[in-house]
Amino acid sequence: MKKWFTILAIITLCLSVVACSKDDNKKEEKANEATKKDELVLALTSEPDGGFDPTKGYAAYGSPLIQSTLLATDANSNIIYDLATEYKQSEDKLTWEFKLRQDATFTDGKPVKAEDVVFTYETAKKSGSTVDLVHMKQVKALDDNTVQFILEKPQSTFVYTAASIGIVPKHAYSDTYSTTPIGSGPYKLVEWKQGQQAIFERNDDYYGDKGHFKKVTALFMSEDQAFAAAKAGQVDVAQTSFAFANEKVPGMKIESYQTVDNRGISFVTIPEGSEVNGQKAGNNVTSDLAIRQAINLALDRQAIVDDALDGFGKTAFSNSDHLPWWNADTEIKRDVEKAKTVLADAGWKDSDGDKILEKGKVKAHFNLIYTAGDSTRQTIAMAVKQQLKEIGIDVTVSGGSWDDIEKKMYSDAVLFGWGNRNPMEVYYLYHSSNIGFDYYNTNSYKNAEVDQALDQALISGNMEDWKKAQQPIIHDLPWAWLVNVDHLYFVKDGLSLGKQPIHPHSHALDIMSNLEEWNWKK
């Protein structure tokens, strides 16, 4: 009897141990699940090249995430408050004042004050990386919570500038700030291994809405690596391109986000023999209005979207399609026969039977350059070349470095990428004062009516004035805008990335601009 009692006790003990072990495993699984629920891993194909310093251009096209901005833009591109609680401008739009909230602190515990804003903007202007500060004459702190800006010329778009420059701490700024930034935004950077990863943690002292996720790790990978990581189940979000978008990834879905990340051809509008910034400038073919008009009429933009982008994009007719200041009249209906008529009426004919038009001694031929190594731009450029053969225009396509492009962009056509949630980009691309300024107005485009209308729009800030300023451009066509490239991501099932704004021209961390909205669906 004793023997059987002993055996029964041993069995009971074993079952108890097994039960405890299962309970421990369940607890561990629950703990792991909880960790997973408030931590994310992303695979991104680009990172901030120069680090995380807004005074040197970081996040100039989107949300800085780590730092606060005076103002912000919502998902519909409307201006909203952020660090500032109110602002006012003088009647002549030369003087701007911003009142700061008093509950904002940097992640080292120090309050955000007006002197930090002054320091940020002065430092940014000295760095020369923020073009919208060209006309900033002075910035000063009126008190701890009031900042005053004085501009050299009226600029209604200064609200967009205020929504794009993250504020850095005067007391903690140094030469190493780009790699170890301190800010007052919804997240803080705790580690950055350049070329490998960046780790962000939620800023629990942030004055605004707190993010659902305590920790977000961004892994910087090639497209191939990001796709492999997604298939292996190692990441929650993976940036990708149309080359992988039709692939199936278990437990993930493909998300496509609307953009103004456009690709367009910049045409030089002045004849040969000119000079810009001491460089050879001018093109006898693209400076002919009939050539530019015919190209815009003949191009099958939808075919470029379907074939070059595998359908993951939209046709583009300006640098700001579907933004509040977009002029819908920029849309051009394809008409190949009309394109041929425009060329013939302007004196372009194929007199020697080589299927390339000429006008006098000038052949309808031009060079089209794209950035070498960019397969998407190469594919688009080749599609343009093939399509223009139909109307007798010959195009030589070639890739080059940015140094090469800078040497040729005032004489050859260039396939550029633009797109910003700021109407000021229209001003920089088309106003004649920007000829030779950075990569803006490389066309050498000059139209007094456009200049006057853009100046008026800059003063008024009225969206109808911005649209009116683009009306003459519809005739002059210094650009052939082609496509807006969709931004594509594999996203884990059940994960919501919130209401994404229209994405600007592709830059690192764009997808994270509304990170505080991300959550797991219930």
Side-chain angles (χ1 to χ4, degrees):
M1 240 359 226
K2 287 183 179 179
K3 180 179 178 182
W4 285 108
F5 275 122
T6 302
I7 292 172
L8 184 60
I10 292 171
I11 291 172
T12 303
L13 179 62
C14 289
L15 290 173
S16 176
V17 170
V18 170
C20 288
S21 177
K22 286 183 177 179
D23 286 343
D24 288 342
N25 287 338
K26 285 182 180 179
K27 287 179 181 177
E28 186 176 346
E29 286 175 7
K30 285 183 178 179
N32 289 337
E33 186 66 19
T35 299
K36 174 189 171 184
K37 288 294 184 182
D38 61 17
E39 292 186 9
L40 288 180
V41 179
L42 284 57
L44 303 179
T45 58
S46 62
E47 67 182 313
D49 294 331
F52 298 85
D53 186 348
T55 71
K56 295 180 179 177
Y58 163 63
Y61 277 33
S63 167
L65 186 66
I66 302 165
Q67 296 91 1
S68 302
T69 48
L70 288 173
L71 302 173
T73 53
D74 64 15
N76 298 314
S77 300
N78 298 312
I79 293 293
I80 57 176
Y81 292 114
D82 187 6
L83 189 60
T85 57
E86 61 178 280
Y87 72 90
K88 63 181 180 179
Q89 53 185 305
S90 60
E91 200 170 318
D92 60 9
K93 292 186 172 62
L94 290 175
T95 303
W96 295 68
E97 285 185 14
F98 293 82
K99 285 283 185 183
L100 308 185
R101 61 191 310 140
Q102 298 182 40
D103 57 348
T105 59
F106 291 107
T107 51
D108 63 359
K110 300 289 180 65
V112 181
K113 294 184 177 182
E115 65 178 16
D116 298 302
V117 178
V118 172
F119 176 80
T120 297
Y121 276 74
E122 287 181 340
T123 304
K125 179 159 185 176
K126 288 175 185 174
S127 76
S129 63
T130 308
V131 292
D132 267 6
L133 294 181
V134 171
H135 302 304
M136 186 183 80
K137 183 178 181 181
Q138 185 184 41
V139 55
K140 59 183 178 180
L142 300 184
D143 56 47
D144 280 352
N145 299 103
T146 310
V147 183
Q148 182 187 75
F149 294 88
I150 299 175
L151 308 181
E152 292 178 344
K153 61 187 297 185
Q155 188 177 337
S156 61
T157 56
F158 193 70
V159 289
Y160 294 94
T161 303
S164 64
I165 300 179
I167 305 305
V168 304
K170 181 179 179 180
H171 66 274
Y173 187 85
S174 68
D175 292 340
T176 62
Y177 184 85
S178 290
T179 57
T180 56
I182 291 174
S184 55
Y187 279 80
K188 52 188 175 183
L189 181 71
V190 295
E191 179 185 271
W192 180 37
K193 293 181 179 178
Q194 194 166 5
Q196 298 179 46
Q197 68 177 25
I199 299 175
F200 303 87
E201 289 183 357
R202 185 175 64 200
N203 178 10
D204 289 328
D205 294 322
Y206 180 57
Y207 51 81
D209 294 336
K210 307 294 189 299
H212 176 80
F213 298 99
K214 293 181 180 179
K215 179 181 177 183
V216 179
T217 301
L219 305 175
F220 303 119
M221 299 177 162
S222 67
E223 279 185 10
D224 289 348
Q225 291 171 328
F227 179 65
K231 288 196 74 173
Q234 297 170 342
V235 297
D236 300 293
V237 178
Q239 189 173 5
T240 191
S241 72
F242 63 88
F244 295 98
N246 288 314
E247 299 288 338
K248 300 297 182 185
V249 176
M252 302 187 87
K253 60 186 179 299
I254 194 75
E255 294 281 7
S256 176
Y257 296 112
Q258 185 181 357
T259 78
V260 282
D261 187 0
N262 47 57
R263 302 293 180 270
I265 302 172
S266 167
F267 294 122
V268 178
T269 62
I270 55 176
E272 291 179 17
S274 307
E275 190 176 282
V276 175
N277 286 346
Q279 292 180 215
K280 176 184 174 184
N283 187 298
N284 287 339
V285 177
T286 61
S287 62
D288 190 307
L289 176 59
I291 290 285
R292 302 196 302 274
Q293 290 177 332
I295 289 173
N296 273 280
L297 283 166
L299 286 172
D300 188 341
R301 292 165 173 82
Q302 189 58 54
I304 295 175
V305 170
D306 294 340
D307 299 335
L309 303 180
D310 204 17
F312 292 102
K314 305 288 186 298
T315 56
F317 298 93
S318 77
N319 66 303
S320 52
D321 288 19
H322 305 294
L323 290 173
W325 49 90
W326 174 52
N327 186 330
D329 291 342
T330 54
E331 285 199 27
I332 299 172
K333 185 178 180 181
R334 185 174 185 243
D335 191 332
V336 175
E337 293 308 311
K338 184 176 179 180
K340 291 177 179 178
T341 300
V342 167
L343 289 169
D345 289 347
W348 290 95
K349 299 176 182 178
D350 179 14
S351 302
D352 55 11
D354 65 353
K355 297 184 179 180
I356 302 173
L357 302 178
E358 64 266 348
K359 187 175 183 180
K361 295 181 179 180
V362 179
K363 281 279 187 184
H365 168 271
F366 63 87
N367 298 320
L368 176 58
I369 313 170
Y370 64 90
T371 44
D374 189 325
S375 59
T376 300
R377 294 194 196 197
Q378 180 184 30
T379 305
I380 292 172
M382 291 303 298
V384 169
K385 174 184 174 71
Q386 292 301 317
Q387 289 187 15
L388 293 188
K389 278 185 177 181
E390 187 178 351
I391 60 171
I393 296 177
D394 183 48
V395 182
T396 297
V397 172
S398 62
S401 67
W402 281 112
D403 286 341
D404 294 331
I405 290 172
E406 286 178 11
K407 294 173 184 175
K408 299 175 181 177
M409 63 188 182
Y410 300 124
S411 55
D412 288 333
V414 180
L415 184 60
F416 278 116
W418 287 103
N420 192 355
R421 297 191 298 263
N422 184 341
M424 197 65 184
E425 187 173 84
V426 178
Y427 184 92
Y428 284 122
L429 286 175
Y430 293 107
H431 198 284
S432 65
S433 65
N434 298 310
I435 295 172
F437 173 44
D438 199 55
Y439 289 100
Y440 297 106
N441 202 346
T442 56
N443 324 67
S444 296
Y445 175 64
K446 188 172 186 177
N447 181 320
E449 185 182 352
V450 171
D451 285 354
Q452 184 177 1
L454 284 172
D455 287 336
Q456 174 59 33
L458 198 58
I459 295 170
S460 73
N462 187 304
M463 293 304 154
E464 292 306 313
D465 284 344
W466 282 106
K467 293 175 184 179
K468 181 181 176 183
Q470 297 169 66
Q471 200 66 35
I473 297 168
I474 297 167
H475 172 267
D476 297 342
L477 297 169
W479 285 82
W481 296 102
L482 305 171
V483 297
N484 283 315
V485 181
D486 286 352
H487 287 183
L488 303 170
Y489 295 84
F490 286 106
V491 180
K492 187 158 285 187
D493 290 343
L495 178 62
S496 169
L497 305 191
K499 186 177 180 181
Q500 289 285 323
I502 293 178
H503 287 199
H505 179 47
S506 186
H507 285 270
L509 309 184
D510 281 346
I511 191 70
M512 298 170 67
S513 66
N514 68 332
L515 187 56
E516 62 271 24
E517 294 181 20
W518 294 17
N519 62 80
W520 292 105
K521 299 174 186 174
K522 294 181 180 179

